Amino acid sequence: EVRSRHALYYLSLAERANSHFTGPQHPGWGSEQTEWVDRLESELGNVRAALDWYQARAEDERNAGAGVLDNLLQGLQLTTALTRVWFGRGHFTEGLQRTAALLALVPKPLDPDLPRLSASYAAALIVAGRLASLEGGDISAVS
């Protein structure tokens, strides 16, 4: 229960940070955005623990054949919300590895009754593709 709450807290923190980069009120990368990325980067140990938790739980869900994929969904949401940290602070390799690991757990074909998972999958594929291009890597094995 404690690890689950920990992971949810860091998902929420990353999503709050990410919200400061979108919309007309946030047209670029200024001091406010830098502060949010600094905060997330200072919490990378906790963020990594949250990503590890989501990946382990998602693997358990997959192995159990569970129809509920909440941990996978939340893991994809977290790695996608960390886009500014992956790109802005040069964590290309880690971002790609963590995103690819979660993408590999997405059951295919995607279930049309899980639109949130489909949307998160698509967003994570975009992030992985951008990270792979910056590394000069191959995205074909990710999907």
Side-chain angles (χ1 to χ4, degrees):
E1 179 64 27
V2 171
R3 291 192 70 192
S4 176
R5 287 181 184 216
H6 174 271
L8 283 171
Y9 172 80
Y10 284 97
L11 171 58
S12 174
L13 179 68
E15 288 180 333
R16 273 189 318 212
N18 200 40
S19 74
H20 288 272
F21 286 88
T22 57
Q25 70 277 22
H26 304 292
W29 191 295
S31 61
E32 176 187 8
Q33 289 75 19
T34 300
E35 288 174 20
W36 276 104
V37 172
D38 287 346
R39 182 172 179 191
L40 285 174
E41 191 170 44
S42 74
E43 293 283 357
L44 264 180
N46 283 309
V47 169
R48 288 176 177 132
L51 284 167
D52 290 344
W53 167 259
Y54 284 130
Q55 183 176 342
R57 298 294 71 75
E59 288 169 355
D60 290 346
E61 289 169 343
R62 181 178 178 170
N63 293 336
V68 177
L69 301 170
D70 291 339
N71 290 297
L72 177 57
L73 173 63
Q74 290 168 346
L76 289 169
Q77 289 169 330
L78 178 54
T79 195
T80 303
L82 293 168
T83 298
R84 291 346 185 270
V85 174
W86 302 144
F87 291 103
R89 298 301 166 86
H91 298 286
F92 309 130
T93 301
E94 179 179 9
L96 180 57
Q97 289 172 346
R98 290 189 175 274
T99 305
L102 288 162
L103 284 168
L105 296 173
V106 175
K108 291 159 196 91
L110 286 168
D111 185 339
D113 293 330
L114 300 172
R116 289 180 54 218
L117 181 60
S118 295
S120 292
Y121 176 74
L125 275 176
I126 291 167
V127 169
R130 289 179 59 209
L131 287 165
S133 72
L134 288 169
E135 281 203 313
D138 181 9
I139 189 68
S140 62
V142 172
S143 62

